């Protein structure tokens, strides 16, 4: 099938849509990484096998089974959804499949026990539209992730893929396309939030007939997965964005730079999409029968976090060492192979097709004055509904945590949310009503970054958090420039000192001064933003730093060198639960008798504290009388 | 040729120059440990930072840049010693001193900026390498590209591939020549030169008899059609002087 004119595309789309609408029942099995880890492949196989046994596999009875990308609610996977009713089944095992097929697909009834269980009310919620996690989301970049089969171009087109590209190519000049993107207010979703329209315009203006567009799919932030979910679950949205971008700036070649450590699913998905698009005449020479020529290659990442930085990424594509270069000349003028280049994040690209289809104004109608549209987040940490979400800019943090995220796991008190990846910062409870957009996060010492959101409860030490990120960055610094390379090492030494009770008077000043020097002096944004995790925790939790330094105490009971756990004898009822969880077998005691912690063996992991049902365990600074315990719950 | 203002002094520099060159022309003292005229700048030491302002910017909006690779342009205003510049240099020097506490070059420069002892934790078993990358850049420029930086972060170091005697090294000694701290050791005994754990046979100057070039380098150059200097540097200079003298007025 080749789509060599606008008419052919439209006709194909109508056919595909009709086919889709003619489907009485579609069983969509999530095969995103989260669900795969939970056994989704076996579920998908059971669905296919079950359909075959029931004579439904050929789709002629209006029933079909599909494997899709991430549905978002990874926490409750493996997920299976039933369309068009919009039923969501959670924690599905292969053994559940016959029941789903017989009762729901054939019988039209709901299998209650598989429906989503509201973590608070414990009620079963059957439909997507009623589940808070989904109800409050607005999905644009992730519009088709989890809804289409990434290996089926027809399915994607039935869901609107390439409508924006066709509109751009047939109805608009490149300048008009850029204007539309500018009007949408779209800003980069991968880091600094640069205006996408302006970036494209600069590249279009730059002299030269060879230009490139690049998709940054490096996503090196630990725990982040939104770009992966898009590339894996809806690769056509990325290709469509890049086609539109290439048309706008006049590029004939594009690159998708994919993180090296990604599971093979991402590459399989992308390759399949590229192949299908080429076969359909959507990539290559004469796209949709126009004179446009454009193709995309996939490049595997260099395996280092810093390779996600724009100049390092371009060097890496060129086959050189992926190290940042000082750039006082923009990539839009001299980028890949020194040619004018547009580099955008996966999510940024995925937005573009929708913006062209529905108009810049529509997109700009969502969000805040300076941050438009929606933003995808990888929600993780101590929140009940961890997963992939997309929300209008300006959504209050409280709403994200409590309504969408379902609150803190174990109903512990909330302490902070860390946003923006390793060089982001924390937002404390006092700022929970903060509307999340670029400006607000930056103003309060954090950043949007690529949309990581790690929720932390009261059992988190902020000095330890800063140390964790500094340690990560210290390992990932390329080491080229002094402030970043040597600065991160010394910052780590200083934080290690605090966490291990070796802090010296004046350390906080030393930390702040070093941070400033790194910020000012470093060559690339890794080093320049590396002090953020320290500065922001220091800004919002200074008293915690002071406790470490002055009292040698870790108020959260996390820093092992500073913390001692003990059992209050009068409270212990000998339930024995702590003994079960202690990783070093440091707790002695027979069931129904009082238990004791052997301080020699205890590593202060706090597991016992977390499980004790009668609050008999308390902690305090090491080698001080237990009565002076800081932050203990007694 | 663009005219720029350095600390209030206007200077005109060649097109394509970097700010460091212009600033030095104007008499500013700027430390620049990873800079060398012979190779392209990379902006690694960050000591050469300056504050710049461009026409069109808000009056109070300055930007801190590495002068060794910031290209000059008409109307650029440069301040080479603002508090921010000095503080950035001090932090970088303090950090370098923790890395190389015994290295005279670093110690002297740090002292100039008021730092006698580092604020930070000193490296254990320090060497003299400040990771300026001059050696690898000069080796790339000479041609063999025999050494490179390996690993990242603080583990970064200059080394031959696989940390063995570099197969591509021709023993030219350019890296040792350019190394600002003398970290790269070269030994010569009149017959051989040893560098990077590799020993080279030396060729002798036919005029004075001094060992002046490794055979490997001569062959390497000949293999690439480069003219191999038949005399050592000092004989060459003397010969030139003699020729000049015989012509009358040296020029
Ligand atoms: C250390 C470092 C790592 C980065 N990693 C990524 C990444 O993984 N993905 C990404 O899209 N941008 C990353 N960026 C930001 C990119 O440099 C660049 O700004 C971005 O890809 C531009 O796309 P956008 O305008 O669409 O956001 C990183 C930046 C730095 C300094
Ligand atoms: S700031 Fe860090 S990552 Fe960036 S060039 Fe310098 S050392 Fe490398
Ligand atoms: S001596 Fe060897 S390593 Fe040094 S510059 Fe010459 S060829 Fe390169
Ligand atoms: S060996 Fe010398 S020239 Fe090479 S990086 Fe180290 S200090 Fe610089
Ligand atoms: S001389 Fe400019 S950064 Fe080193």
């Amino acid at each position: 099938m080749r789509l060599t004119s606008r008419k052919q595309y439209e006709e194909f789309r109508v056919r595909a849509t009709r086919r889709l609408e003619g489907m009485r029942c579609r069983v969509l099995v999530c095969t995103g990484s989260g669900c795969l880890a939970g056994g989704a492949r076996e579920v998908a196989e059971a669905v296919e096998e079950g359909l075959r046994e029931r004579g439904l596999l050929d789709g002629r009875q209006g029933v079909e089974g599909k494997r899709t990308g991430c549905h978002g609610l990874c926490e409750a996977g493996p997920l299976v959804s039933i369309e068009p009713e919009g039923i969501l089944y959670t924690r599905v095992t292969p053994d559940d499949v016959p029941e789903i097929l017989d009762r729901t697909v054939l019988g039209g009834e709901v299998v209650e026990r598989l429906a989503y269980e509201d973590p608070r009310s414990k009620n079963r919620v059957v439909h997507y539209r009623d589940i808070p996690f989904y109800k409050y989301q607005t999905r644009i970049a992730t519009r088709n992730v989890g809804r289409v089969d990434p290996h089926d171009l027809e399915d994607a087109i039935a869901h609107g893929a390439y409508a924006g590209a066709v509109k751009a190519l047939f109805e608009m000049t490149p300048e008009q396309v850029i204007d539309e993107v500018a009007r949408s207010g779209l800003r980069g979703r991968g880091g600094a939030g640069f205006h996408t329209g302006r970036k494209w315009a600069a590249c279009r203006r730059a002299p030269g007939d060879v230009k490139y567009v690049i998709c940054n799919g490096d996503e090196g932030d630990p725990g982040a997965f939104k770009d992966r979910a898009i590339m894996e679950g809806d690769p056509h949205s990325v290709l469509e964005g890049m086609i539109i971008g290439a048309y706008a700036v006049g590029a004939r070649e594009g690159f998708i730079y994919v993180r090296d450590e990604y599971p093979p699913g991402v590459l399989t998905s992308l390759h399949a999409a590229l192949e299908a698009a080429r076969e359909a005449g959507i990539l290559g020479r004469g796209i949709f029968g126009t004179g446009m020529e454009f193709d995309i290659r996939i490049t595997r990442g260099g395996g280092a976090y810093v390779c996600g930085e724009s100049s390092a990424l371009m060097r890496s594509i060129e086959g050189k060492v992926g190290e940042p270069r000082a750039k006082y000349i923009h990539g839009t003028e001299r980028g890949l192979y020194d040619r004018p280049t547009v580099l955008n994040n996966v999510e940024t690209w995925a937005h573009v097709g929708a913006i062209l289809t529905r108009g810049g104004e529509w997109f700009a109608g969502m969000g805040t004055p300076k941050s438009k549209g929606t933003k995808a987040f990888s929600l993780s940490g101590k929140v009940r509904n961890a997963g992939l979400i997309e929300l209008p800019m300006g959504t209050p943090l409280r709403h994200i945590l409590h309504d969408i995220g379902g609150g803190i796991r174990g109903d512990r008190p909330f302490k902070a949310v860390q946003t923006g990846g390793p060089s982001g910062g924390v937002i404390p409870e006092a700022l929970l009503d903060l509307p999340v957009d670029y400006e607000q996060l930056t103003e309060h010492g954090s950043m949007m970054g690529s949309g990581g959101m790690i929720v932390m409860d009261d059992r988190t030490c902020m000095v330890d958090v800063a140390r964790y990120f500094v340690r990560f960055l210290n390992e990932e610094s390329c080491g080229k420039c002094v402030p970043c390379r040597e600065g991160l090492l010394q910052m780590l030494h200083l934080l290690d000192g605090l966490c291990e009770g070796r802090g010296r008077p004046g350390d906080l000043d030393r930390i702040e001064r070093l941070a400033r020097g790194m910020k000012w002096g470093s060559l690339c944004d890794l080093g320049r933003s590396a002090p953020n995790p320290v500065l922001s925790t220091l800004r919002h939790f200074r008293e915690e730093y002071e406790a470490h330094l002055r009292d040698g105490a870790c108020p959260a009971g996390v820093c092992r060198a500073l913390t001692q756990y003990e059992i209050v004898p009068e409270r212990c009822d000998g339930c024995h639960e702590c003994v079960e969880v202690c990783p070093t077998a440091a707790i002695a005691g027979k069931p129904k008798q009082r238990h004791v912690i052997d301080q020699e063996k205890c590593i202060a992991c706090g597991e016992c504290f977390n499980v004790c049902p009668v609050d008999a365990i308390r902690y305090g600074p090491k080698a001080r009388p237990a009565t002076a315990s800081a932050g203990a719950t007694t | 040729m663009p005219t720029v203002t350095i600390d209030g002094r206007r200077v005109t520099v060649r097109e394509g120059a970097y700010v460091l060159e212009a600033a030095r022309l104007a008499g500013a003292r700027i430390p620049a440990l990873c800079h060398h005229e012979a190779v392209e700048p990379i902006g690694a030491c960050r000591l050469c930072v300056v504050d710049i302002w461009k026409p069109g910017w808000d009056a109070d909006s300055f930007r801190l840049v590495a002068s060794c690779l910031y290209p000059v342009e008409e109307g650029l205003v440069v301040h080479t010693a603002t508090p921010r510049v000095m503080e950035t240099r001090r932090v970088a020097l303090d950090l370098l001193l923790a890395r190389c506490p015994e290295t005279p070059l670093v110690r002297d420069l740090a002292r100039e900026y008021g730092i006698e002892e580092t604020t930070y934790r000193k490296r254990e078993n320090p060497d003299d390498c400040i990771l300026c990358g001059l050696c690898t850049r000069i080796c790339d420029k000479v041609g063999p590209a025999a050494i490179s930086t390996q690993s990242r972060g603080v583990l970064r170091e200059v080394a031959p591939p696989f940390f063995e005697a570099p197969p591509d090294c021709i023993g030219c000694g350019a890296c040792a020549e350019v190394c600002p701290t003398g970290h790269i050791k070269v030994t010569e005994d009149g017959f051989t030169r040893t560098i990077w754990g590799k020993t080279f046979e030396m060729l002798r100057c036919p005029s004075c008899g001094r060992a002046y070039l490794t055979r490997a380098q001569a062959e390497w150059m000949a293999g690439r059609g480069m003219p191999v200097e038949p005399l050592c540097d000092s004989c060459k200079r003397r010969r030139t002087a003699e020729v000049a003298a015989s012509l009358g007025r040296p020029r």
Side-chain angles (χ1 to χ4, degrees):
Chain A
M1 180 251 333
R2 273 186 85 77
L3 307 174
T4 54
S5 67
R6 175 174 202 172
K7 185 153 166 279
Q8 278 184 10
Y9 167 80
E10 300 292 359
E11 283 169 6
F12 183 79
R13 185 162 75 126
V14 169
R15 271 202 310 278
T17 314
R18 257 195 223 127
R19 181 183 173 280
L20 183 70
E21 283 165 359
M23 281 290 157
R24 188 174 56 74
C25 187
R26 306 174 77 229
V27 184
L28 308 181
V29 183
C30 174
T31 52
S33 348
C35 287
L36 273 186
R41 179 165 294 116
E42 290 70 27
V43 174
E45 281 161 6
V47 167
E48 284 144 21
E49 185 56 35
L51 290 173
R52 184 176 304 120
E53 281 168 7
R54 290 163 182 75
L56 298 171
L57 196 64
D58 59 11
R60 256 178 274 160
Q61 273 83 0
V63 174
E64 69 178 353
K66 287 271 182 201
R67 299 184 187 203
T68 72
C70 180
H71 289 207
L73 192 53
C74 309
E75 192 72 28
L79 302 170
V80 172
S81 68
I82 311 287
E83 298 293 341
E85 288 86 354
I87 297 170
L88 180 71
Y89 288 142
T90 59
R91 299 184 215 287
V92 178
T93 66
D95 294 344
D96 299 324
V97 170
E99 194 178 347
I100 295 176
L101 295 181
D102 290 330
R103 288 185 54 200
T104 308
V105 175
L106 294 173
E109 27 170 326
V110 171
V111 185
E112 278 279 335
R113 67 176 180 88
L114 293 176
Y116 172 76
E117 186 189 66
D118 186 277
R120 271 178 283 212
S121 67
K122 305 284 172 211
N123 289 335
R124 295 283 173 180
V125 191
V126 174
H127 294 100
Y128 269 102
R129 57 177 177 275
D130 301 322
I131 300 173
F133 180 82
Y134 291 105
K135 184 159 77 176
Y136 299 114
Q137 290 195 46
T138 308
R139 297 190 149 214
I140 297 174
T142 59
R143 57 197 175 276
N144 289 334
V145 178
R147 301 183 56 214
V148 300
D149 175 352
H151 290 266
D152 184 351
L153 178 61
E154 183 179 341
D155 196 15
I157 288 183
H159 283 86
Y162 298 107
V166 166
K167 186 168 169 189
L169 264 58
F170 288 97
E171 288 176 26
M172 301 165 83
T173 63
E175 285 78 11
Q176 285 171 326
V177 170
I178 293 176
D179 284 347
E180 197 66 47
V181 173
R183 196 167 314 130
S184 76
L186 177 65
R187 292 167 63 182
R189 300 304 198 230
F194 195 81
H195 281 270
T196 308
R198 260 184 242 161
K199 193 187 269 187
W200 292 16
C203 184
R204 174 150 194 93
R205 264 199 316 272
D209 21 299
V210 177
K211 296 182 181 179
Y212 298 107
V213 291
I214 306 177
C215 171
N216 190 344
D218 200 49
E219 201 172 51
D221 301 7
F225 47 82
K226 56 124 185 142
D227 291 342
R228 173 175 74 190
I230 294 173
M231 288 189 283
E232 198 171 39
D234 187 18
H236 289 289
S237 66
V238 179
L239 307 196
E240 179 177 7
M242 292 178 73
I243 292 170
I244 295 168
Y247 175 70
V249 305
R252 278 193 302 274
E253 233 182 308
F255 295 84
I256 301 179
Y257 189 86
V258 182
R259 182 174 183 200
D260 198 42
E261 292 93 336
Y262 270 167
V266 179
L267 286 173
T268 324
S269 238
L270 283 172
H271 278 298
L274 286 176
E275 211 39 57
R278 283 186 199 121
E279 248 168 56
I282 297 173
L283 281 177
R285 211 164 280 176
I287 295 180
F288 289 120
T290 65
M292 178 174 170
E293 180 185 344
F294 175 66
D295 210 337
I296 298 173
R297 263 190 281 167
I298 296 175
T299 313
R300 297 298 297 272
Y305 173 68
V306 76
C307 287
E309 191 274 342
S310 54
S311 65
L313 182 146
M314 292 182 200
R315 298 294 88 75
S316 174
I317 294 181
E318 291 168 4
K320 300 180 187 145
V321 183
E323 261 172 28
R325 264 211 226 159
K327 35 167 194 213
Y328 295 123
I329 297 171
H330 280 294
T332 47
E333 281 171 45
R334 272 176 55 187
L336 185 63
Y337 299 111
D338 284 341
R339 309 284 191 168
T341 303
V342 160
L343 170 73
N344 277 127
N345 170 255
V346 172
E347 185 190 344
T348 314
W349 286 120
H351 271 300
V352 170
I355 289 173
L356 266 283
T357 307
R358 307 187 59 174
E361 220 139 288
W362 158 77
F363 192 78
M366 286 168 283
T368 56
K370 287 187 178 162
S371 305
K372 300 298 186 188
T374 54
K375 174 83 191 83
F377 295 98
S378 320
L379 190 60
S380 64
K382 296 290 168 57
V383 63
R384 281 210 180 82
N385 298 331
L388 169 72
I389 56 174
E390 185 174 348
L391 303 160
M393 290 278 188
T395 305
L397 210 41
R398 188 185 299 280
H399 183 52
I400 302 179
L401 293 187
H402 289 292
D403 303 326
I404 297 161
I408 309 299
R409 240 187 267 160
D411 284 318
R412 298 210 66 89
F414 167 81
K415 183 158 183 181
V417 57
Q418 201 274 352
T419 75
S423 35
V426 295
I427 302 289
E429 171 156 42
L431 294 171
L432 258 187
D433 289 310
L434 195 80
V436 175
D437 69 5
Y438 292 103
E439 289 71 33
Q440 292 293 324
L441 288 177
T442 308
E443 189 183 322
H444 292 94
S446 188
M447 61 187 209
M448 184 67 84
S450 72
M453 231 178 224
I454 306 171
V455 179
M456 296 167 174
D457 65 14
D458 63 330
R459 300 281 289 137
T460 318
C461 166
M462 288 298 144
V463 186
D464 184 58
V465 164
R467 175 166 75 150
Y468 169 82
F469 289 113
V470 167
R471 186 182 290 145
F472 173 85
L473 292 165
N474 179 51
E475 273 163 25
E476 296 299 333
S477 155
C478 83
K480 188 190 223 169
C481 72
V482 171
C484 171
R485 179 188 67 231
E486 308 295 334
L488 276 165
L489 176 72
Q490 297 297 346
M491 189 66 93
L492 187 58
H493 285 330
L494 285 162
L495 294 173
D496 275 343
L498 290 180
C499 292
E500 288 161 15
R502 293 183 281 100
R504 292 176 297 152
D507 267 0
L508 299 191
D509 296 336
R510 269 178 215 111
I511 286 175
E512 281 174 331
R513 195 171 161 203
L514 175 58
R516 207 173 42 199
M518 291 170 68
K519 230 172 156 164
W520 285 343
S522 292
L523 183 153
C524 85
D525 278 340
L526 189 148
R528 267 180 245 148
S529 59
N532 274 355
V534 187
L535 290 178
S536 99
T537 45
L538 199 50
R539 168 167 168 182
H540 297 297
F541 297 93
R542 195 175 186 99
E543 68 291 348
E544 216 167 311
Y545 275 82
E546 278 163 357
H548 282 74
L549 184 61
R550 193 186 49 219
D551 315 330
C554 174
V558 171
C559 294
R560 294 182 179 184
L562 305 182
T563 307
Q564 174 167 324
Y565 281 83
E566 57 187 15
I567 297 174
V568 186
E570 336 43 281
R571 285 204 182 187
C572 175
D573 65 359
C575 75
H576 213 56
E577 282 194 30
C578 54
V579 178
E580 307 288 328
V581 298
C582 178
T584 59
I587 306 176
K590 296 209 171 61
K592 304 244 171 349
Q593 289 176 11
R594 281 171 187 174
H595 288 47
V596 199
I597 298 177
D598 178 348
Q599 294 301 338
E600 292 295 305
K601 286 192 191 160
C602 175
I603 54 163
C605 70
E607 287 297 327
C608 51
F609 178 92
N610 294 346
V611 299
C612 179
V614 293
D615 284 343
I617 296 177
R618 68 178 172 195
Y619 59 85
K622 216 168 205 162
R624 279 169 184 247
T627 46
S629 64
T633 51
T634 45
Chain B
M1 295 216 298
T3 299
V4 300
T5 309
I6 314 278
D7 296 331
R9 285 189 56 184
R10 292 166 60 80
V11 287
T12 302
V13 276
R14 64 183 176 93
E15 199 74 52
Y18 294 108
V19 168
L20 180 65
E21 186 181 330
R24 287 186 167 169
L25 212 63
R29 268 173 65 84
I30 298 178
L33 285 183
C34 67
H35 173 79
H36 194 287
E37 292 77 17
V39 291
E40 280 297 306
I42 56 170
C45 74
R46 315 306 290 172
L47 294 176
C48 69
V49 289
V50 294
D51 260 314
I52 60 156
W53 179 89
K54 272 197 216 183
W57 289 4
D58 291 344
D60 56 352
S61 143
F62 283 85
R63 185 173 165 201
L64 199 69
V65 301
S67 62
C68 67
L69 40 61
Y70 196 92
V72 292
E73 58 184 281
E74 187 56 42
L76 197 70
V77 176
V78 180
H79 295 276
T80 70
T82 62
R84 178 165 77 163
V85 163
M86 301 307 272
E87 173 66 3
T88 308
R89 286 187 196 150
R90 256 181 246 118
V91 171
L93 278 168
D94 205 344
L95 288 167
L96 265 185
L97 192 57
R99 176 186 175 86
C100 300
E102 311 300 337
T103 306
L105 176 74
V106 178
R107 292 201 68 89
D108 293 348
L109 199 50
R111 191 168 296 125
E112 247 183 71
Y113 279 77
I115 307 163
E116 292 292 334
E117 277 305 325
T118 177
T119 314
Y120 307 109
R121 191 196 293 183
K122 289 183 191 169
R123 182 161 58 139
E124 281 167 31
N125 310 316
D127 58 27
D128 288 326
C129 179
I130 56 169
L131 288 173
C132 66
L134 283 173
C135 52
T136 58
R137 277 179 284 159
I138 199 79
C139 189
D140 287 353
K141 188 166 178 196
V142 170
I147 49 174
S148 59
T149 45
Q150 320 227 342
S151 309
R152 57 175 186 249
V154 279
L155 299 179
R156 190 178 173 103
E157 60 183 312
V158 171
F162 309 111
F163 303 92
E164 288 166 5
D168 295 334
C169 176
I170 55 173
C172 71
C175 52
E177 190 70 33
V178 83
C179 175
T181 64
H183 174 65
I184 301 173
K185 299 286 176 284
V186 202
T187 51
E188 284 182 22
D189 63 4
F191 300 95
T192 62
R193 172 187 291 167
T194 303
I195 186 167
W196 293 110
K198 201 173 167 185
T199 301
F200 297 88
E201 180 197 341
M202 298 299 284
L203 299 181
R204 286 170 185 285
C205 173
S207 170
C208 69
R210 190 147 21 120
Y212 80 114
L213 183 72
T214 65
R215 178 179 294 283
Q217 184 179 1
E219 283 168 1
W220 188 85
M221 291 170 79
R224 277 159 188 76
M226 298 179 199
V228 177
E229 204 53 67
L231 298 174
C232 76
D233 269 359
S234 53
C235 291
K236 195 173 65 186
R237 269 197 301 276
R238 201 183 56 228
R239 181 72 52 88
T240 315
E242 283 165 11
V243 172
S246 71
L247 290 175
R249 226 165 59 89
R251 171 83 203 119

